Amino acid sequence: MKNLLFPFVAVLIWSINAVVSKAAATLIEPAAISFYRWFIAFLTLTPFLLLPVLKQRKIVAQYWWKLLILSSLGMVLNQSLAYYAAHTVSATIIGIFTSLIPLLTVIISIFALRAAPTVGITLGTVLSLFGLVWLVSKGDPASLLQQGLGIGEVMMFIAAAAYALYGVLTKRWAIPLPNWQSLYVQIGFGVLLLLPNFMMTEDVQLTSDNLSLVLFAGIPASIIAPYLWIQGVVRIGASMTSIFMNLAPVFTAIIAILVLHEKMQSYHLIGGGIVLGGVILAQQLRTPLTRRKPENNSNQ
């Protein structure tokens, strides 16, 4: 039972970070917190990982472009877009879109890893898309035909898709580096990729109001939560661990209500519940969508 605490606490930290992202929207520029987050994580990990990574420099040199792509997806697109989206969407919405990552992962796996589609994936995708439409239209799907999607929702969908692709490529490429060493190099690339936007931003000042938010994003959300998540995968398996991601929108909504005093509307409950139901359906209903015809082994 104690092994279940690893993914449970990891998801709780990431849920708090969604609220941190929303709180930071009025206190620090997205480009600044995006850079500071990974710069702090890089500095924190350097004493432990710099020498081991240097010993693996031949492997790093061989796979540098793959590590760069992973960094651009997981550290740059996924995280940065969430900070920009927080200016126009609530923390609750951020949590709900984050819960789509497992579903998007299996959808991308069908094309990238040639995974067999299942009934659950098909039904779950349709159900989750309907839930998203209900959610972003605030319970009035017809309004989307007139107003279209909000920029914040589009950013969060791209952010979730980027992280889903990150997970699929990590599995497909199987870079021969230990998890932490691979993560450290990716964070290093992330710092470099985020630096130009940081340098072009006028106000990047750390203050007493935003420092705690930056530190939480840089250490608990970027180091402690991934460590706990990896431990969960090792101890109880990837499939069991991924189920805990379904708690993200629930945790985020509760924390946002308590801390940010966000109001829970009926469309949040209905749309978010439908999205979550679709994700769970995709995870649990694994009946193949099409059955292979039995081979005819009789001699002609």
Side-chain angles (χ1 to χ4, degrees), residues 49-68:
L49 291 170
L50 179 59
L51 289 179
V53 166
L54 289 176
K55 292 179 181 179
Q56 302 277 12
R57 57 185 177 275
K58 290 184 178 179
I59 296 177
V60 174
Q62 181 180 354
Y63 293 94
W64 71 269
W65 64 275
K66 291 183 177 180
L67 292 164
L68 179 66

Side-chain angles (χ1 to χ4, degrees), residues 19-30 33 83 87 210 213:
V19 177
V20 166
S21 299
K22 181 61 181 178
T26 57
L27 298 174
I28 187 171
E29 290 295 323
I33 189 172
Y83 291 127
H87 283 264
N210 62 36
L213 302 177

Side-chain angles (χ1 to χ4, degrees), residues 228-300:
L228 295 173
W229 189 260
I230 291 171
Q231 288 299 309
V233 172
V234 171
R235 294 166 185 258
I236 64 176
S239 297
M240 184 66 178
T241 301
S242 66
I243 294 175
F244 281 82
M245 190 60 75
N246 298 325
L247 295 172
V250 180
F251 286 162
T252 303
I254 293 173
I255 298 168
I257 291 171
L258 295 176
V259 178
L260 301 179
H261 307 292
E262 289 188 359
K263 293 182 179 180
M264 183 63 63
Q265 305 292 343
S266 60
Y267 64 82
H268 285 133
L269 296 174
I270 296 172
I274 294 173
V275 169
L276 191 58
V279 174
I280 294 174
L281 188 64
Q283 289 176 314
Q284 300 300 314
L285 187 55
R286 301 184 179 181
T287 306
L289 188 61
T290 58
R291 296 185 180 275
R292 291 182 177 181
K293 295 182 180 180
E295 294 182 3
N296 186 358
N297 294 324
S298 60
N299 296 325
Q300 298 296 326

Side-chain angles (χ1 to χ4, degrees), residues 139-300:
D140 183 17
S143 67
L144 287 183
L145 297 176
Q146 298 176 339
Q147 302 175 4
L149 285 174
I151 185 63
E153 287 85 358
V154 173
M155 285 182 176
M156 280 310 306
F157 185 83
I158 295 173
Y163 200 76
L165 181 57
Y166 171 87
V168 172
L169 291 179
T170 298
K171 182 176 181 179
R172 179 173 181 175
W173 286 340
I175 298 172
L177 281 174
N179 287 331
W180 279 109
Q181 293 181 30
S182 177
L183 181 64
Y184 178 72
V185 176
Q186 291 173 44
I187 290 175
F189 277 129
V191 171
L192 293 176
L193 290 171
L194 291 166
L195 183 59
N197 198 25
F198 173 80
M199 296 294 291
M200 291 187 292
T201 302
E202 292 184 5
D203 185 8
V204 295
Q205 185 176 2
L206 290 173
T207 67
S208 58
D209 292 327
N210 62 36
L211 182 59
S212 60
L213 302 177
V214 172
L215 289 175
F216 185 90
I219 299 177
S222 302
I223 298 176
I224 298 176
Y227 169 77
L228 295 173
W229 189 260
I230 291 171
Q231 288 299 309
V233 172
V234 171
R235 294 166 185 258
I236 64 176
S239 297
M240 184 66 178
T241 301
S242 66
I243 294 175
F244 281 82
M245 190 60 75
N246 298 325
L247 295 172
V250 180
F251 286 162
T252 303
I254 293 173
I255 298 168
I257 291 171
L258 295 176
V259 178
L260 301 179
H261 307 292
E262 289 188 359
K263 293 182 179 180
M264 183 63 63
Q265 305 292 343
S266 60
Y267 64 82
H268 285 133
L269 296 174
I270 296 172
I274 294 173
V275 169
L276 191 58
V279 174
I280 294 174
L281 188 64
Q283 289 176 314
Q284 300 300 314
L285 187 55
R286 301 184 179 181
T287 306
L289 188 61
T290 58
R291 296 185 180 275
R292 291 182 177 181
K293 295 182 180 180
E295 294 182 3
N296 186 358
N297 294 324
S298 60
N299 296 325
Q300 298 296 326

Side-chain angles (χ1 to χ4, degrees), residues 101-158:
I101 292 174
L103 176 61
L104 293 173
T105 299
V106 295
I107 292 174
I108 294 173
S109 295
I110 293 174
F111 301 97
L113 304 179
R114 296 184 180 180
T118 65
V119 174
I121 292 174
T122 304
L123 295 179
T125 300
V126 173
L127 196 61
S128 291
L129 286 176
F130 178 77
L132 281 178
V133 168
W134 190 272
L135 184 69
V136 300
S137 67
K138 299 181 179 180
D140 183 17
S143 67
L144 287 183
L145 297 176
Q146 298 176 339
Q147 302 175 4
L149 285 174
I151 185 63
E153 287 85 358
V154 173
M155 285 182 176
M156 280 310 306
F157 185 83
I158 295 173

